[in-house]
Amino acid sequence: ELKENTVIIVLGASGDLAKKKTFPALFGLFRNKFLPKDIKIIGYARTKMDHTEYLKRVRSYIKTPTKEVEEQLDMFCDVCTYVAGQYDQDEPFQQLDKHISEIEKGRKETNRVFYMALPPSVFITVSQHLKRNCYSKQGINRIIIEKPFGKDLGSARELQKALAPDWKEEEIFRIDHYLGKEMVKNLLIIRFGNEFLGSNWNRNHIDSVQITFKEPFGTEGRGGYFDEFGIIRDVMQNHLLQVLTLLAMERPISFSSEDIRDEKVRVLRCMPAIEPKNVIIGQYGKSLDGTKPAYKEDDTVPKESRCPTFCAMVAFIKNERWDGVPFIMKAGKALNEQKTEIRIQFKDVTSGIFKDIPRNELVIRIQPNESVYLKMNSKLPGLSMQTVVTELDLTYRRRFSDLKIPEAYESLVLDAMKGDHSNFVRDDELDASWRIFTPLLHYLDQKKDIVPMEYPYGSRGPAVLDDFTASYGYKFSDAAGYSWNSGSNN
Ligand code: BG6
């Protein structure tokens, strides 16, 4: 339920995340009237600036394509204020508390939502100062936190240990923004709301599952952060594993957040740690035409970096439903296209009447162009018995052309405002996910002789990729040049 009398405090209000995601999401919710009517939004960061300058900055974060949106932005600015202060001293946080209290004057209940759009280095100290100085005594307190939640199991536990004395688990909202994406939220409905899929969703019928994340750009100035983390920590341990979990978990008892999260943890606990032999890593070099720089040419990246910008890895789930089925996760930067999708390849039909008929595939496109399509064999219309690969197709922009798909961050911020934890990461879930990745990460960090394979900027990734997926049984079928039409012009 959405609480009136709420103040949102964005810590790190002048940083990159606030600019790109937090403020646009808050504005999106505000202008569509999803926030409480009396909402107030306070920014806090180290940069000293006055109110006018701050609002100028907030405005610069938000696009205003029409006059109407511009007017809505004016109204949004009316609820925004700013406090400047350090992250590691009590005094400025007391100032912040005073500012919040002034805004809350006359309210019987005072609810505070703290959004931490902060780098990991200041994260703990800020959460402690907030608890000491800004914690509301007459209402709810919530703290929204962003990844990275540690770098491995040990550091994630340290972080959790530092947070736990101050913030109860029910007050903490750990964002994995993939959980806010429309198609990711649809996974439970697709699986459990369709008997024909649900009954085939297991090792007897599914041969492999692929989850693919591709971006057509490199680190471009973000190399400083990226080099410390690499593609596995940046998107696989969190975003791709979340997708995998939703694909593999058992049916929750209900849609309540704890029932869902209980099942997620349960399936994660059936996954042994990823073994290095089931992993390939790559790093992008210059594009073939020489126009795009290699990863190591990024000024913020050390010249000898062995940081992976591409990885393909296979996870297994040791339970009755999935034993033996490879879950292939692939992620890369500076590839040939932008795409995140799930590809579930079914087993061959039993032999006999057909020779080499392609396998069914269920493809769930998370972005761009949300869609679900099932590649299916059919008779080519006409007098012969020739078969053709065709599809059952649910392309959102065709089927739901008049509906707007919300931004992931809009959806998640609203959930946090309502106190719904379903799409946030629980402490034991985080622990279980790091356990699966940590041995591999330590292995890669320690073995200095493992050098990522180079692939050209703008390519599909390291040359061995197709052999790698084929070695886990994936059959690529080029049946009569089949290609799915996304209905888009680009
Ligand atoms: C972030 C990663 O979590 O997700 C980025 O840090 C990545 O490296 C981004 O680009 C991808 O998010 P989206 O929503 O654009 O797919």
Side-chain angles (χ1 to χ4, degrees):
E1 149 226 23
L2 203 56
K3 293 219 178 249
E4 301 285 317
N5 303 314
T6 297
V7 176
I8 301 174
I9 300 103
V10 181
L11 292 301
S14 51
D16 207 44
L17 180 72
K19 175 174 162 183
K20 289 202 185 119
K21 302 289 187 190
T22 318
F23 276 97
L26 286 170
F27 175 64
L29 291 172
F30 176 86
R31 78 183 199 85
N32 291 303
K33 307 208 167 19
F34 283 118
L35 294 181
K37 279 192 291 302
D38 58 358
I39 193 73
K40 294 282 187 286
I41 299 167
I42 303 170
Y44 182 91
R46 282 176 301 197
T47 318
K48 284 215 172 72
M49 50 187 149
D50 63 21
H51 189 62
T52 327
E53 209 180 319
Y54 176 65
L55 290 188
K56 214 166 105 196
R57 202 181 272 232
V58 169
R59 282 173 185 280
S60 74
Y61 299 167
I62 290 158
K63 289 193 201 77
T64 46
T66 64
K67 188 96 191 93
E68 191 195 354
V69 181
E70 218 175 285
E71 284 164 13
Q72 288 162 336
L73 182 55
D74 290 339
M75 289 192 270
F76 180 72
C77 284
D78 287 344
V79 306
C80 288
T81 52
Y82 180 73
V83 177
Q86 296 301 311
Y87 290 138
D88 53 359
Q89 296 158 12
D90 283 315
E91 199 271 333
F93 282 94
Q94 285 155 6
Q95 291 298 327
L96 174 63
D97 184 58
K98 221 171 105 201
H99 181 78
I100 308 174
S101 305
E102 272 158 28
I103 287 175
E104 291 170 338
K105 225 176 238 142
R107 293 183 175 180
K108 273 206 286 313
E109 191 187 53
T110 56
N111 303 308
R112 297 180 177 180
V113 175
F114 301 98
Y115 191 121
M116 310 268 272
L118 291 169
S121 52
V122 292
F123 182 76
I124 288 301
T125 163
V126 171
S127 71
Q128 289 167 341
H129 281 86
L130 284 175
K131 178 65 197 267
R132 238 192 343 261
N133 301 297
C134 304
Y135 194 83
S136 165
K137 286 158 202 83
Q138 286 139 313
I140 48 135
N141 289 276
R142 292 187 181 136
I143 183 164
I144 303 178
I145 63 187
E146 284 277 348
K147 78 166 178 63
F149 312 121
K151 291 186 74 176
D152 57 9
L153 185 59
S155 51
R157 283 187 177 162
E158 284 297 313
L159 207 68
Q160 185 46 34
K161 223 168 85 191
L163 210 58
D166 289 334
W167 300 89
K168 293 195 279 292
E169 184 60 23
E170 66 187 58
E171 294 174 327
I172 302 175
F173 292 76
R174 292 180 197 81
I175 284 202
D176 182 313
H177 80 283
Y178 266 60
L179 292 174
K181 291 189 188 271
E182 183 63 31
M183 196 52 91
V184 177
K185 296 205 313 194
N186 193 13
L187 290 176
L188 294 188
I189 313 286
I190 296 180
R191 286 191 55 198
F192 299 114
N194 292 295
E195 178 59 18
F196 83 99
L197 283 178
S199 54
N200 291 320
W201 210 260
N202 56 54
R203 62 195 296 271
N204 300 327
H205 301 284
I206 291 178
D207 200 75
S208 68
V209 176
Q210 286 187 63
I211 304 167
T212 308
F213 168 100
K214 298 171 86 173
E215 275 182 343
F217 42 82
T219 47
E220 270 103 10
R222 217 170 138 245
Y225 152 81
F226 192 86
D227 201 74
E228 208 187 310
F229 290 88
I231 195 78
I232 304 176
R233 292 183 175 94
D234 188 42
V235 300
M236 300 179 97
Q237 177 270 338
N238 36 59
H239 306 330
L240 298 199
L241 186 67
Q242 283 293 342
V243 171
L244 188 157
T245 309
L246 290 167
L247 285 172
M249 67 191 251
E250 296 302 314
R251 186 165 83 168
I253 294 166
S254 78
F255 273 120
S256 83
S257 56
E258 296 326 305
D259 284 343
I260 292 175
R261 299 197 297 177
D262 284 348
E263 288 307 334
K264 289 172 82 178
V265 174
R266 207 164 301 185
V267 71
L268 288 172
R269 290 181 52 204
C270 294
M271 292 173 68
I274 310 274
E275 290 186 63
K277 69 170 200 283
N278 293 324
V279 178
I280 55 174
I281 55 172
Q283 188 187 75
Y284 64 88
K286 247 189 194 349
S287 62
L288 290 177
D289 64 5
T291 58
K292 298 285 189 178
Y295 174 69
K296 287 205 249 303
E297 286 174 74
D298 188 324
D299 288 339
T300 50
V301 166
K303 289 288 153 273
E304 296 306 308
S305 171
R306 294 184 300 120
C307 174
T309 62
F310 178 95
C311 177
M313 63 167 72
V314 182
F316 291 95
I317 303 171
K318 302 285 182 192
N319 65 11
E320 258 186 306
R321 185 188 287 275
W322 294 118
D323 197 18
V325 178
F327 282 76
I328 307 169
M329 290 182 269
K330 299 180 294 186
K333 300 228 166 227
L335 296 179
N336 60 330
E337 60 183 340
Q338 159 125 52
K339 183 161 96 176
T340 305
E341 71 176 23
I342 300 160
R343 185 170 296 263
I344 292 157
Q345 186 168 70
F346 289 86
K347 291 196 182 291
D348 286 317
V349 288
T350 44
S351 65
I353 58 175
F354 299 111
K355 253 204 256 91
D356 289 339
I357 195 160
R359 290 174 166 180
N360 289 137
E361 277 182 4
L362 177 70
V363 182
I364 302 173
R365 171 76 74 93
I366 296 172
Q367 64 187 34
N369 296 328
E370 291 84 349
S371 46
V372 184
Y373 58 96
L374 178 68
K375 283 168 71 173
M376 179 179 101
N377 297 303
S378 184
K379 178 182 162 312
L380 187 67
L383 296 174
S384 82
M385 278 300 276
Q386 207 182 323
T387 65
V388 63
V389 178
T390 165
E391 78 273 299
L392 298 178
D393 176 13
L394 166 60
T395 295
Y396 276 33
R397 64 166 60 179
R398 282 194 283 259
R399 181 63 180 82
F400 302 125
S401 55
D402 51 347
L403 294 180
K404 184 190 168 292
I405 296 176
E407 287 296 321
Y409 271 89
E410 291 176 359
S411 156
L412 293 176
V413 171
L414 189 61
D415 282 353
M417 299 282 297
K418 290 181 175 161
D420 180 349
H421 275 97
S422 315
N423 292 312
F424 293 86
V425 185
R426 201 165 68 185
D427 51 356
D428 53 345
E429 187 182 349
L430 185 63
D431 204 84
S433 71
W434 275 119
R435 195 187 41 72
I436 297 167
F437 282 83
T438 297
L440 170 70
L441 289 164
H442 285 177
Y443 175 86
L444 293 176
D445 288 345
Q446 282 151 17
K447 289 260 184 212
K448 299 275 182 275
D449 52 326
I450 302 180
V451 180
M453 287 175 271
E454 188 173 311
Y455 59 96
Y457 193 124
S459 67
R460 289 182 58 241
V464 297
L465 178 61
D466 290 336
D467 290 342
F468 178 79
T469 45
S471 73
Y472 294 92
Y474 178 69
K475 283 196 196 166
F476 176 71
S477 145
D478 186 15
Y482 173 87
S483 103
W484 173 73
N485 169 7
S486 70
S488 94
N489 302 322
N490 44 47

